[in-house]
Amino acid sequence: MADARQLKKAQEVYQTLCDALEARQWSYDKDTENPEKLYVRFTVNGEDIPMRLTLFVDANRELVRLMSFMPFNIPEDKREILAIATCEANYKMADGGFDMDLDDGAILFRMNASYRSSLVSESMMQYMISCTCSTVDRYNDLFLMLGKGAITLSQFMQTIGA
């Protein structure tokens, strides 16, 4: 359970997050009935597949957590190939990474940033949002095509420069 200092800091970080989205003039949803829930949800239109993002402030662990679930699940017979593809994609990244649930084929991109003993700026939030959007936009259609069998793992690797 977060103490009073952690909660105060989390609320400051959360306000910085909201300020970053407002600076972009992006609309977002937050839980106004439960203000202690420090998260926002929004959708960004990419080149092909809309991206749904959730950012939340974890007061207990003093983290900003960002997640973007792909709007599709990978069929069971393609999960092994997709597991390899997500590993290869992650190998090329400096920040964030993809996770795939082998049980249901869900894929998500996640990025975390600790604010413990730190100052959080709006530019850090902007970086997290921009990095996530560009990364998800680059890979989401490739994961979808690979999951549908429209491209091979070799084609995926060539496309991402493996």
Side-chain angles (χ1 to χ4, degrees), residues 3 8 23 33 51-52 56-57 61 66 71 80 88 95 102 109 112 116 119 128 130 138 140-142 159:
D3 62 28
K8 184 177 187 284
E33 292 183 22
M51 299 169 281
R52 298 174 301 185
F56 62 97
V57 179
R61 295 191 288 173
L66 186 154
E80 185 176 328
E88 189 62 36
D95 292 314
L102 290 174
F109 180 82
N112 300 323
R116 185 177 307 230
L119 296 175
M128 288 181 74
S130 294
R138 177 174 185 213
N140 61 8
D141 58 325
L142 293 171
T159 302

Side-chain angles (χ1 to χ4, degrees), residues 17-154:
L17 165 60
C18 292
D19 292 345
L21 291 169
E22 288 168 15
R24 288 177 179 241
Q25 298 180 339
W26 284 6
S27 60
Y28 57 93
D29 296 319
K30 58 184 176 178
D31 192 340
T32 55
E33 292 183 22
N34 299 299
E36 71 280 359
K37 294 185 178 182
L38 304 176
Y39 72 87
V40 297
R41 289 188 175 125
F42 56 97
T43 301
V44 178
N45 291 320
E47 288 185 25
D48 36 42
I49 302 170
M51 299 169 281
R52 298 174 301 185
L53 283 77
T54 301
L55 279 113
F56 62 97
V57 179
D58 182 336
N60 289 323
R61 295 191 288 173
E62 299 181 84
L63 291 174
V64 175
R65 302 187 67 203
L66 186 154
M67 293 185 292
S68 179
F69 282 89
M70 303 298 115
F72 52 84
N73 288 41
I74 302 304
E76 192 169 352
D77 65 326
K78 300 288 186 193
R79 291 181 192 162
E80 185 176 328
I81 291 169
L82 263 294
I84 295 167
T86 57
C87 286
E88 189 62 36
N90 288 342
Y91 183 73
K92 300 197 170 304
M93 288 180 217
D95 292 314
F98 289 99
D99 294 326
M100 186 180 76
D101 186 330
L102 290 174
D103 291 330
D104 68 3
I107 298 177
L108 74 102
F109 180 82
R110 67 179 166 79
M111 182 184 295
N112 300 323
S114 173
Y115 59 84
R116 185 177 307 230
S117 302
S118 302
L119 296 175
V120 174
S121 67
E122 192 176 308
S123 63
M124 183 197 91
M125 298 294 186
Q126 297 289 7
Y127 171 78
M128 288 181 74
I129 294 166
S130 294
C131 182
T132 296
C133 289
S134 64
T135 302
V136 171
D137 199 34
R138 177 174 185 213
Y139 288 97
N140 61 8
D141 58 325
L142 293 171
F143 289 145
L144 179 62
M145 290 189 299
L146 190 56
K148 289 184 176 238
I151 62 171
T152 65
L153 182 57
S154 177

